[in-house]
Amino acid sequence: EVQLVESGGGLVQPGGSLRLSCAASGFTFSVYSMNWVRQAPGKGLEWVSYISGTGSTMYYADSVRGRFTISRDNAKNSLYLQMDSLRTEDTAVYYCARLGEGFGMDVWGQGTTVTVSS
Amino acid sequence: SYVLTQPPSVSVAPGKTARITCGGNNIGSKSVHWYQQKPGQAPVLVIYFNSDRPSGIPERFSGSNSGNTATLTISRVEAGDEADYYCQVWDTSSHYWVFGGGTKLTVL
């Protein structure tokens, strides 16, 4: 079964750091580009970051560029999001999502909740 | 940056056809993807590349894209189709994945 499982969310103070992980299974992870997408409480979806299958290309939303770093370990079938200098507006459910062959995000994890609050 | 505009809500009676629009400047030149999200669940891809359906998505779901508007059409709407729907495109100029604001589909 194709599956993505996120972990690492939690409560953190403004200015703090958190590292999210996404464990992939059921497909050849290294072939696929991956994304992080977030959803603030009661709000819509917001794309956060993209990484190519080899890890050589990364893109970021303006709202997180310079604070968040996306990475992957293909040997461990894992995707990561290092989040530094967190702000209250970063509070959201964070999803990892696979970029399918048609360039839609065809597999999503269940999400992990990040709460930034003092 | 590129902006996608969706109506906040659409209502439809069971068995009828729902049409959810997604507006963007010359969106017809882009590939549009559509997602369904039910409360408390992760999004699900229902249409990719404007009009293709992933395996497991009913034929009742279809998509079109031309000019400045893309449309998700749901035929013979069922109660289980009630959800939020999001359109999405890749903006090549800014290297940005852009989502529309989402449309809440209510089945009357």
Side-chain angles (χ1 to χ4, degrees), chain A residues 6 12 16 18 20 34-50 60-70 79 81-97 105 108-116, chain B residues 35 37 41-43 86-88 96-102:
Chain A
E6 302 96 335
V12 61
L18 213 53
L20 306 183
M34 298 293 295
N35 293 269
W36 287 100
V37 176
R38 68 184 181 184
Q39 187 170 35
K43 302 298 184 182
L45 301 173
E46 179 189 15
W47 170 76
V48 173
S49 185
Y50 158 97
Y60 297 93
D62 288 344
S63 57
V64 306
R65 187 176 295 116
R67 300 187 300 121
F68 290 11
T69 303
I70 191 171
L79 174 72
L81 186 68
Q82 177 66 42
M83 303 187 296
D84 299 320
S85 303
L86 282 162
R87 306 167 179 169
T88 55
E89 55 263 38
D90 295 319
T91 294
V93 175
Y94 285 74
Y95 297 99
C96 61
M105 296 179 188
W108 295 66
Q110 85 288 351
T112 187
T113 301
V114 173
T115 303
V116 184
Chain B
Y35 301 87
Q37 187 181 34
Q41 298 183 19
Y86 296 89
C87 58
Q88 180 201 44
Y96 237 77
W97 282 106
V98 181
F99 284 97

Side-chain angles (χ1 to χ4, degrees), chain B:
Chain B
S1 61
Y2 195 77
V3 176
L4 295 174
T5 302
Q6 297 182 236
S9 63
V10 167
S11 298
V12 63
K16 300 299 185 182
T17 297
R19 293 179 179 86
I20 298 172
T21 59
C22 177
N25 184 34
N26 197 27
I27 195 174
S29 67
K30 301 180 182 299
S31 293
V32 179
H33 316 293
W34 290 91
Y35 301 87
Q36 176 194 68
Q37 187 181 34
K38 297 181 179 180
Q41 298 183 19
V44 173
L45 180 69
V46 294
I47 292 289
Y48 66 95
F49 198 44
N50 297 321
S51 59
D52 289 342
R53 275 187 317 276
S55 60
I57 300 301
E59 292 184 5
R60 301 184 296 104
F61 288 80
S62 62
S64 63
N65 184 21
S66 179
N68 293 317
T69 304
T71 303
L72 173 69
T73 301
I74 309 171
S75 304
R76 303 181 299 282
V77 167
E78 303 173 356
D81 298 331
E82 191 163 277
D84 294 326
Y85 291 84
Y86 296 89
C87 58
Q88 180 201 44
V89 300
W90 167 249
D91 182 23
T92 54
S93 62
S94 60
H95 299 300
Y96 237 77
W97 282 106
V98 181
F99 284 97
T103 297
K104 181 176 181 59
L105 177 67
T106 299
V107 180
L108 301 172

